[in-house]
Amino acid sequence: MQRIVLFLLFVVACILCTTPLVSASPSSSSSSDVSSSSSSGTLLYPLGDSITWGCSDCDNSTCATCDGGYRTLLYSLLNVNANYTFVGSQSSGPETLDDKHHEGHPGWRIDEIYDNIVGWLNTYHPDIITVHLGTNDVFQNANASTCISRWNQLMDAIFKQMPKVTVYACSIIPFTSTRFPYAHQPLTDFNAALPSLVQSFSSQGFNIHFVDMYDAVPTSGLSPDGIHPVHAGYNLMAQTWYKAISTTYSEKN
């Protein structure tokens, strides 16, 4: 009988020795994964047209999936000492751009963006919106008054939907294309009105900043089409956006 008991104790001991202990590390890893995936940092929403897409950035002729435009350098600059994520329904950019999302729609006017903005904001919930819009409006015969009215309507919709969002609205970059000789004056007048338009929303307590992009991008920084920047021109845009965001944005907004 004693031999049987000893044998059973021996068997139990062997089982315990060969059964691995449950480690706490997988549980900790899982918790870390959930935390990292749920924390996306500051959500930035690049809003605009083909210039936000980055057309002519990688081949100087078309709007291609390799185009990152100003977003490529801006993403790198913002993420040196912070955590930024780009959001939007569109995706384009080079392999070096880790986050290719944006809301740049080639050929779109301000009113076309307005028609979709509420749904987009409900989807992406950005902390920051960068806005470069109006080029296609003046190219499609809109005068400055029409551009101003459309722009005000868009800002009203944005701040009604997201009153705490921070908006960086910039002037339209110059163009040299001879296809739109009638568009120079409306562009000039609209750009001249933008600082006051921005101030009008700021005085209502909204977080909005004017960014002078017209003077940031010289005509020498444009591609052969005379509308979209080349890579160096887009980098100037990125540096201008970055300077504005890094010196004024607060997560407490």
Side-chain angles (χ1 to χ4, degrees):
M1 183 69 175
Q2 185 177 7
R3 291 181 178 179
I4 295 174
V5 171
L6 291 173
F7 176 77
L8 291 175
L9 289 174
F10 175 78
V11 171
V12 170
C14 289
I15 293 173
L16 289 175
C17 289
T18 57
T19 302
L21 296 175
V22 176
S23 171
S25 59
S27 175
S28 300
S29 174
S30 175
S31 175
S32 175
D33 290 344
V34 171
S35 175
S36 63
S37 64
S38 62
S39 178
S40 299
T42 302
L43 303 182
L44 189 147
Y45 191 53
L47 180 63
D49 47 37
S50 57
I51 294 170
T52 297
W53 177 286
C55 297
S56 296
D57 184 27
C58 64
D59 66 3
N60 288 340
S61 61
T62 62
C63 297
T65 56
C66 56
D67 290 320
Y70 70 76
R71 294 175 289 108
T72 304
L73 178 59
L74 178 60
Y75 182 84
S76 296
L77 292 173
L78 289 171
N79 281 285
V80 170
N81 296 308
N83 181 18
Y84 277 79
T85 297
F86 286 1
V87 294
S89 67
Q90 304 298 293
S91 180
S92 68
E95 292 183 1
T96 54
L97 177 56
D98 292 334
D99 197 335
K100 299 175 174 58
H101 295 99
H102 62 91
E103 204 64 76
H105 294 267
W108 283 35
R109 303 181 307 269
I110 300 171
D111 56 316
E112 292 173 296
I113 296 293
Y114 166 79
D115 289 340
N116 294 272
I117 193 63
V118 172
W120 289 334
L121 294 180
N122 280 334
T123 299
Y124 301 109
H125 307 286
D127 301 300
I128 295 175
I129 304 175
T130 56
V131 182
H132 182 282
L133 281 168
T135 302
N136 293 305
D137 298 74
V138 297
F139 284 175
Q140 297 177 37
N141 290 297
N143 57 32
S145 296
T146 298
C147 292
I148 290 169
S149 175
R150 291 173 178 174
W151 190 92
N152 278 328
Q153 189 178 34
L154 176 62
M155 291 303 117
D156 279 333
I158 288 173
F159 287 120
K160 182 178 180 180
Q161 192 69 21
M162 299 192 67
K164 297 299 183 181
V165 74
T166 298
V167 173
Y168 292 89
C170 75
S171 50
I172 306 172
I173 65 170
F175 71 94
T176 57
S177 172
T178 57
R179 295 167 54 198
F180 312 101
Y182 52 82
H184 286 284
Q185 194 60 52
L187 182 146
T188 299
D189 294 343
F190 178 52
N191 278 346
L194 273 172
S196 295
L197 298 178
V198 168
Q199 181 57 42
S200 70
F201 280 91
S202 179
S203 65
Q204 298 176 55
F206 297 117
N207 300 311
I208 185 168
H209 304 272
F210 172 72
V211 180
D212 184 0
M213 202 64 74
Y214 182 87
D215 288 335
V217 182
T219 55
S220 60
L222 299 179
S223 69
D225 69 10
I227 299 171
H228 304 97
V230 292
H231 188 69
Y234 278 122
N235 282 351
L236 292 173
M237 292 186 72
Q239 292 163 4
T240 304
W241 283 128
Y242 175 71
K243 181 178 180 180
I245 294 169
S246 63
T247 57
T248 62
Y249 179 69
S250 170
E251 293 183 0
K252 295 179 180 180
N253 286 342

